[in-house]
Amino acid sequence: MTELAEIISDLQRRFAADADAADGEHSLENLRIEYLGRNGEVTKIRRTIGTLPAEQRPEAGKAINDAVAAMEARLDAVHAVLQSHALEEELATSIDVTFPAEMPQVGSIHPVRRIIEQTCDYFMRHGFAVVVGPEAEPDYYNFDALNIPSDHPAREGFDSFWLSDTVLLRPHTSPLQIRTMQQHKPPIAIVAPGKCFRRDAVDARHLFQFHQVEGLLVAEGIHFGHLKGMLTGLCRELFGAEQSVRFRPSYFPFTEPSAEVDTTCPKCKGTGAAAAAPCNMCGGSGWIELGGAGMVHPNVLREVGYDPEVYSGWAFGSGVERLGLPRYQVDDIRRFINSDPDFLEQLS
Amino acid sequence: MRIPISWLRDFAALPDDAGAIADRLAMLGFPVAAIEKRPTITGVVTGRIVALEKHPNADRLQVAQVDIAGGSALTIATAATNVANGQTIAVATVGAQLPALKIERRTMRGVVSHGMMISADELALPADWFEDGILQLDGTTPLGVDVVELFGLAAEVLDVEITTNRPDAMSVIGLARELAASYGVPLRLPSFVNPGEAAEPAAEAPHVILESADCHRYVAQRFDGVSVEAAPAWMRVRLALAGQRPINNLVDVSNYVMLETGQPLHFYDADRIENGKLIVRSAREGETIVTLDGVARKLSPQALVIADEGQPLCLAGLMGGMAGEVASETRAIVLEAANFNGTRIRRMSASLGMRSEASARHEKSLAPALTDIGAARAAQLLSALGATAYRPHEFGASVAPAQPIALPVREAERVLGLAIPKERIERHLRALGCDVASTESNVLSVRPPAWRRDLGIAVDLIEEIARIEGYERIDAVEPSVPPHAISSARFELERRVAHALAALGYHEVITYSLQGASLSERMPRASVAASEPAVEVRNPLSEEQRFLRSSLLPGLLDYLESYGPTVRVFEIGDVFAADQNRILEQTSVAFGFAADPSPQPWHDSSFLRLKGDCEALLRKMTGRQADFSRGAGIGFHPGKTASVSVGDREVGKLGCIDPRVSRAFELEGNAYFCMLDLAALPEYETPRYRPPSKYPSTYRDIALVVGVEVSAREIERAVAAALGDICTAVRVFDEYRGPQAGEDRKSLAVRMTLQRYDATITDEEADAAVSRVLDAVRDEFGATIRA
């Protein structure tokens, strides 16, 4: 018996020394296996209990169990200390947060779509619907129904791409206005974005393929003041709350009165100058053109079956890439159709 | 149109500030493209040469005594050779400021010169438009008068843009009327009485036959006693300021009247008109005319000419011919003030590739009433030059007064949203030349002036009222938009697709819808089957705009070639096909990228990545799982292309691009694209939630060796069918080909996830399920287990 007691206390002495020397989770685990594992020291000692007389075995077993409990407690304690040190060390570590990030692979929508969405969202907030439609349209929807008679300059084939005797690539999205008015009774509140085509030579300010957004509101009691209100709001939406908006008389066959709409040049903020030279975005006038607008001509209303004595409305149209030039201060309109990756990345 | 402000001031009192006038014109609807400032010139006065002698000490010089009505005559030396005693000229006195120099007393070869005689150049007028040497003034010019003031040389010249509906405003009087109405000042019009009205008809009265309906009205007037020489200086100076080169007194009168009144005129040498008869007709095929610019032109019946019985003398409303033009011998002329169909003049001008100041006005359809006004002004000026005016004759339609327009007074407020008192409405309309009468108390009867063909209905008048009142007087008001049933669904669909693709890491590009043969034929030339014939544009500006694209693919492959292989792109746009006589247009969605070929020819991870993006996109758009089966498409690799379906509807194609096509587009490596038909996408199906089982799941993996032609989907379907309800997922997750599988065989690793809803699944049940699977795949595919 005392022999067992000696063995146990010798075991505990060796264990204590080894536990003191444990320098990490790994050596702690080895210690556990060596002493308390399936083939460890304690197991060997337990096997010797069978050689003891029967009445000594319970006491021997208890002594071993007590020793095991103490060893396990010690292991747990050391483990806790190791954990606590590791935690302290971790909390004391810092990293360079200014190191460049690993960027996710995000895509982008085209700046043209972004301008269209911003414009359409503005109108949708005011109760307008957004309509889209085909790019190849008969001349009736492009001209006749818009009060552009067959001998008007706009029809002469100078300006449009023709696909047959009567079908052309739409030079504006106005056909959607006519179609919508044919399919619905008033009130009509729509905005119509889309791709358009004009037979223009391409340069820094002109494309032959571009996008437009047109708007139309027809109901009872609509007047020119409403047109001003809506477009002033649109200019502020696109260019900032401080924008001034100016309406100048003009001429379109499908509106009367007609207007050209200008807003403050965002590059020179309306001063007309940039770095002691005339501003090259607005040519020095301090204004950029938003587009054309006006009250819908009675002939157009009559053509779709509306009574101009009862209903009135306004319409407007803007070139999207044309708006993109001052919006993003782009130097050349061709960048919108080239869509080069650097351009898309900068404006995304 | 170039308008000297000094000319405008003949007709209305205007502010001094040219910028203010330009702003006002812009706010009336006539934008000013440029304001040309004139240089400061002072101290130049009119004078008469009362003595002229050769210079005692210099052969080239002469010494003149010039009377400037300010005491004694000035002694002025000059090198000019065109001066003579008695001439009236302009003289810069000592202290005068010219554009290039200041005048001082100068001693020229011993003679002190107290000033300098002036040529056009020193007055900042184009030197080659005036006489060589000293500018010659009219003998009747008062002496000692400041020349700059006399000729209005200090005031700016405006470059004004006129919209096509206002040809009446392509004139000084037209714009002066606008400004007078806007500023509320009187308009001082010259008399429009033709001095020939009171005269006898000419013995050889001009006779005009209108054979063409495109000449609506023709006023012909004969003048005798004409002598062709330089026009008076004041007229030449004014024309030069307006950008019109002076030619001779007759041409200058016609240009002057055109600029002032807006009616172009033409003069014929009366003695060169065969039998005194003029015919307005279409040209005959092959007829020729040598126009005033010396160019011989071959004509077609599209041209409208004024001809005598022998030949065409003038391209109507466009340019005169050399036969019949006035020359130095001309003693009698016939004046033409005519009115033509604008479209006819425009088409003739376009087909001949010619434009003139006259045609720029005629092509906008002038008012017939202008003919009388133009003839009258010209007759006044010609009479002042000493010609004898005969009675004018009119041919064609007479000038009928315009129909009155009923304008309810409240209508302006209804359209504009601005209440304008009736008196102001009347005042504005009258200032523009309308006759306004009240019928009932709140309806005006408005008769537009004869020169305004663009005023026909009430809203036309309302626009005039708004312009003169000023658009800025109308307040901006928020409209309240009434409810309606118009749908934005199609726009929202496209928007969702675009944002979903952006979220998946694709960048949106826009490529050209019009393509040249070089792009659209690259796929057919790469020996890949051509699609239907493309829709052709009849009138492209260049060969690069000849065809409408039938697919987004060539444009996107071209983009990848230009901008490098690492970009992932998408485009949503319309494509076109020709179907007999119809044009089929549909919206296509395409997304893809270029990538290196995969190391294993039978397993393409780029394809699988694209497929994953496609599945994710379709799940987001439709709420459903897409199906992929072997497919084919134009431009796609025959063995690496899938047909994509949602439900039972095919929505598009996905795959590796045919390497012959990639090579035709000079791409290194492979390209992978998915093309979807936007309209074919089914409606979004809302998912129904199914709570997970409370009981744990388990899984089994097996590796099945099958023939290479057996698809992963077939295996998955067969395994799921064999497992039955306890299977919650089956997924092929690996493929191996090689010696261990055998020739023409492959090994597919399959994970089966098993779970019960009523109890924990036991190992025995799982094992039994796997047995069922093995039996099923052995029977159906001859599958074996991989060793």
Side-chain angles (χ1 to χ4, degrees), chain B residues 600 602 701-706 732-742 745-750 770 774 777-778 782-787:
Chain B
Q600 290 147 334
W602 40 265
D701 289 345
I702 48 171
L704 300 172
V705 180
V706 293
V732 171
F733 63 89
D734 195 15
E735 179 177 340
Y736 164 81
R737 297 189 196 193
Q740 287 180 32
R745 311 256 309 156
K746 65 185 179 186
S747 166
L748 293 177
V750 187
V770 173
L774 293 177
V777 299
R778 195 175 298 127
T784 57
I785 308 280
R786 179 162 166 197

Side-chain angles (χ1 to χ4, degrees), chain A residues 107-108 110 113 117 121 127 130 135-136 151 156 160 162 165 199 209 224-225 228 256 258 308 337 339, chain B residues 27 343 346-347 414-415 460 463 471 474 477 484 488 495 499 502 506-508 510 513 538-539 559 585:
Chain A
S108 57
H110 197 280
R113 183 180 298 278
E117 286 186 2
D121 283 339
V130 184
E135 293 161 13
D151 59 354
E156 297 270 85
S160 294
W162 288 84
D165 285 341
R199 229 169 140 262
Q209 173 187 306
F224 200 89
K228 285 183 115 183
E256 188 88 358
S258 305
I337 186 71
S339 303
Chain B
M27 296 316 288
T343 305
R346 191 171 59 244
R347 288 197 178 134
R414 182 183 161 243
V415 172
D460 295 334
E463 183 180 73
Y471 279 15
I474 302 172
V477 170
H484 56 79
S488 305
R495 177 203 275 220
H499 283 266
Y506 291 88
H507 296 272
E508 184 173 19
I510 297 177
S513 301
R538 285 193 174 178
N539 58 335
Y559 183 91
E585 180 174 344

Side-chain angles (χ1 to χ4, degrees), chain B residues 592-651:
Chain B
F593 48 84
D596 289 332
S598 53
Q600 290 147 334
W602 40 265
H603 177 91
D604 193 331
S605 46
S606 298
F607 176 96
L608 293 173
R609 271 203 296 281
L610 182 69
K611 184 180 170 187
D613 290 336
C614 179
E615 268 189 55
L617 173 70
L618 290 174
R619 174 116 186 273
K620 205 165 195 176
M621 300 306 303
T622 68
R624 288 180 248 196
Q625 180 66 30
D627 290 316
F628 297 81
S629 54
R630 268 200 85 138
I634 295 164
F636 283 89
H637 190 304
K640 298 185 181 181
T641 300
S643 166
V644 187
S645 309
V646 178
D648 52 8
R649 213 191 298 184
E650 182 177 358
V651 298

Side-chain angles (χ1 to χ4, degrees), chain B residues 510-532:
Chain B
I510 297 177
T511 63
Y512 281 114
S513 301
L514 294 178
Q515 295 168 348
S518 63
L519 189 62
S520 66
E521 279 168 23
R522 249 191 251 194
M523 291 206 320
R525 275 200 255 113
S527 318
V528 176
S531 55
E532 306 89 30

Side-chain angles (χ1 to χ4, degrees), chain B residues 193-196 221 223 253 257 335 374-384 387 389:
Chain B
V193 172
N194 190 322
Q221 185 170 11
F223 296 82
V253 163
V257 170
L335 170 153
R377 276 300 277 154
Q380 291 167 5
L381 290 170
L382 289 169
S383 300

Side-chain angles (χ1 to χ4, degrees), chain B residues 180-505:
Chain B
S182 178
Y183 282 119
V185 299
L187 180 68
R188 302 183 294 253
L189 281 182
S191 139
F192 291 136
V193 172
N194 190 322
E197 288 290 353
E200 297 295 312
E204 301 132 332
H207 188 59
V208 181
I209 300 171
L210 302 185
E211 272 180 16
S212 168
D214 285 330
C215 177
H216 305 136
R217 180 176 171 77
Y218 194 111
V219 171
Q221 185 170 11
R222 185 181 165 112
F223 296 82
D224 282 351
V226 162
S227 92
V228 177
E229 51 202 25
W234 66 266
M235 186 182 290
R236 290 184 284 136
V237 169
R238 198 163 249 192
L239 284 172
L241 285 174
Q244 195 74 35
R245 183 183 185 136
I247 310 289
N248 59 46
N249 54 355
L250 295 181
V251 174
D252 292 354
V253 163
S254 76
N255 284 333
Y256 189 90
V257 170
M258 175 178 72
L259 292 176
E260 187 175 81
T261 67
Q263 171 67 43
L265 304 172
H266 188 69
F267 294 154
Y268 302 90
D269 184 326
D271 298 324
R272 292 168 74 182
I273 300 175
E274 213 174 289
N275 295 334
K277 197 156 86 172
L278 289 172
I279 306 141
V280 185
R281 60 170 172 81
S282 297
R284 301 181 197 116
E285 186 66 49
E287 229 174 348
T288 57
I289 183 172
V290 179
T291 40
L292 289 177
D293 51 6
V295 178
R297 299 179 194 273
K298 193 118 163 261
L299 304 175
S300 74
Q302 184 158 60
L304 186 67
V305 298
I306 303 24
D308 63 10
E309 285 170 335
Q311 61 182 317
L313 299 179
C314 179
L315 290 171
L318 178 55
M319 191 177 287
M322 295 191 82
E325 73 162 320
V326 302
S328 53
E329 319 82 60
T330 302
R331 293 289 167 263
I333 57 171
V334 171
L335 170 153
E336 163 192 292
N339 182 271
F340 303 107
N341 175 317
T343 305
R344 181 72 188 269
I345 304 303
R346 191 171 59 244
R347 288 197 178 134
M348 167 171 65
S349 157
S351 77
L352 289 170
M354 296 168 65
R355 280 198 97 222
S356 64
E357 286 288 334
S359 70
R361 288 166 174 79
H362 278 298
E363 69 184 19
K364 298 179 176 75
S365 295
L366 298 169
L370 278 179
T371 54
D372 299 305
I373 293 171
R377 276 300 277 154
Q380 291 167 5
L381 290 170
L382 289 169
S383 300
L385 290 178
T388 307
Y390 289 97
R391 189 181 298 177
H393 299 265
E394 59 173 16
F395 304 89
S398 47
V399 178
Q403 288 299 313
I405 303 169
L407 177 66
V409 170
R410 299 300 305 280
E411 190 67 3
E413 182 178 356
R414 182 183 161 243
V415 172
L416 301 175
L418 176 68
I420 306 174
K422 180 172 152 192
E423 304 72 51
R424 279 177 80 82
I425 291 178
E426 289 175 333
R427 171 151 41 105
H428 293 330
L429 292 175
R430 287 194 181 112
L432 290 173
C434 298
D435 240 350
V436 183
S438 296
T439 53
E440 305 140 39
S441 62
N442 46 13
V443 179
L444 300 172
S445 177
V446 182
R447 200 184 288 275
W451 58 82
R452 291 293 303 270
R453 290 182 71 247
D454 61 303
L455 301 179
I457 57 177
V459 279
D460 295 334
L461 298 176
I462 291 169
E463 183 180 73
E464 299 303 286
I465 295 162
R467 287 192 311 111
I468 304 302
E469 190 68 20
Y471 279 15
E472 66 278 0
R473 290 245 304 131
I474 302 172
D475 288 331
V477 170
E478 284 275 327
S480 56
V481 177
H484 56 79
I486 304 167
S487 165
S488 305
R490 184 60 183 72
F491 170 73
E492 292 289 5
L493 173 65
E494 192 180 306
R495 177 203 275 220
R496 289 206 323 272
V497 171
H499 283 266
L501 284 169
L504 287 167

